[in-house]
Amino acid sequence: MSSAPENPGPLPKYVQLAELLIRDIDTGRLMDGERLPPERRMAAELRTSVGTLRKALRVMEQKGLLRRVQGSGNYIQRKGGPGGTYAMFRLELLSGGGLPRADVLDVKTLVKPADLPEFGTSDRATRIRRERFLNDTAIAVEEIWLDAGMGELSRDMLSDSLYQTYLQRLGFWVTRAEDRVSIGALPDWTPERFGRKGAPCGYIERYSWADRPGAIEFSRTWFDPARANYVQRLK
């Protein structure tokens, strides 16, 4: 199992733990039918209390990802598809898994620049720049453009999961996404603590759709392949 993240986030601790375990299921680190360690030992390994762990396991049980057997223990019960908040986040630590979080660098609503592909119905979009982490490891910088026809966002409206933000703040859900992975160079706004501007890196372009024709979001992610892998699984 992955180590519990040390940095605090907007999600309650027990939800963070549940998401961490769910990503371990999605990455194959926890297998269908696998028996989890006893709760006290597991809590010690994850550096949390037994009470917090039990709340996290209850979340997994509610999602249909855990089966409790009286007198025997807790067993992983894998569904057909991923069940976590970060199910569409395809970057993983080299060792597998890792709980995503994001530091917001900048949020602005702008006229779409000429270098963006066509998407959405408006000539304006909210641009969000973030540095991405898995547990405590910085693995990527990203730039998301949300078409203003879907609504506009401010910095104080954001959470680590933008798709949850879209649902809670703007009333829509991203139903599918298409990724195009290649090689790129770190953009000129890359924080110095992350890497050298212009350095070669992995590069992902993503188009996202909601419950209507046409993509409503376009994003660009520059990731360090020495720290993270892009992973896509067929289930």
Side-chain angles (χ1 to χ4, degrees):
M1 290 179 295
S2 303
S3 298
E6 294 180 358
N7 288 348
L11 298 175
K13 179 68 174 180
Y14 75 93
V15 177
Q16 291 188 51
L17 286 173
E19 288 293 332
L20 186 70
L21 293 170
I22 291 168
R23 274 183 64 82
D24 278 351
I25 295 173
D26 290 342
T27 60
R29 293 163 67 91
L30 290 173
M31 303 299 293
D32 184 37
E34 182 174 342
R35 181 183 178 184
L36 294 178
E39 290 179 356
R40 290 191 181 280
R41 192 177 97 201
M42 190 173 173
E45 291 174 353
L46 292 171
R47 296 174 296 176
T48 191
S49 68
V50 173
T52 299
L53 173 64
R54 285 175 177 166
K55 290 176 70 175
L57 296 177
R58 195 173 303 122
V59 170
M60 294 179 64
E61 188 176 21
Q62 291 168 350
K63 290 178 176 287
L65 296 169
L66 188 76
R67 180 169 56 93
R68 295 177 182 270
V69 179
Q70 187 68 31
S72 179
N74 298 314
Y75 293 82
I76 296 300
Q77 182 173 275
R78 187 167 188 162
K79 301 193 305 179
T85 297
Y86 304 101
M88 289 189 183
F89 191 75
R90 299 297 183 189
L91 293 175
E92 299 177 5
L93 293 172
L94 298 183
S95 58
L99 182 68
R101 68 176 181 86
D103 284 355
V104 177
L105 303 174
D106 182 61
V107 181
K108 291 180 180 177
T109 298
L110 305 164
V111 173
K112 293 175 181 174
D115 68 328
L116 291 186
E118 291 188 12
F119 68 99
T121 59
S122 174
D123 65 347
R124 295 172 61 81
T126 299
R127 186 194 69 191
I128 303 163
R129 288 175 172 171
R130 308 196 297 181
E131 184 175 8
R132 297 303 305 250
F133 296 79
L134 286 169
N135 295 346
D136 295 316
T137 301
I139 51 95
V141 291
E142 66 181 2
E143 182 178 86
I144 304 103
W145 292 86
L146 174 67
D147 183 65
M150 304 301 294
E152 297 182 8
L153 294 170
S154 59
R155 191 186 191 105
D156 62 353
M157 296 168 69
L158 302 182
S159 67
D160 274 351
S161 170
L162 273 185
Y163 292 166
Q164 289 287 340
T165 297
Y166 294 164
L167 179 63
Q168 294 167 3
R169 297 288 191 168
L170 302 179
F172 73 91
W173 182 252
V174 170
T175 56
R176 68 185 180 96
E178 177 182 302
D179 288 354
R180 301 175 184 182
V181 184
S182 61
I183 302 298
L186 290 177
D188 59 9
W189 51 267
T190 300
E192 290 185 6
R193 63 180 177 271
F194 181 79
R196 177 176 51 84
K197 301 167 186 177
C201 62
Y203 178 64
I204 307 164
E205 289 187 348
R206 170 173 288 188
Y207 296 82
S208 300
W209 287 262
D211 56 349
R212 63 199 68 192
I216 51 87
E217 180 199 70
F218 174 74
S219 68
R220 301 185 274 214
T221 300
W222 297 263
F223 70 95
D224 184 350
R227 308 179 201 178
N229 289 322
Y230 176 89
V231 180
Q232 175 70 57
R233 292 181 176 83
L234 298 177
K235 300 181 181 180

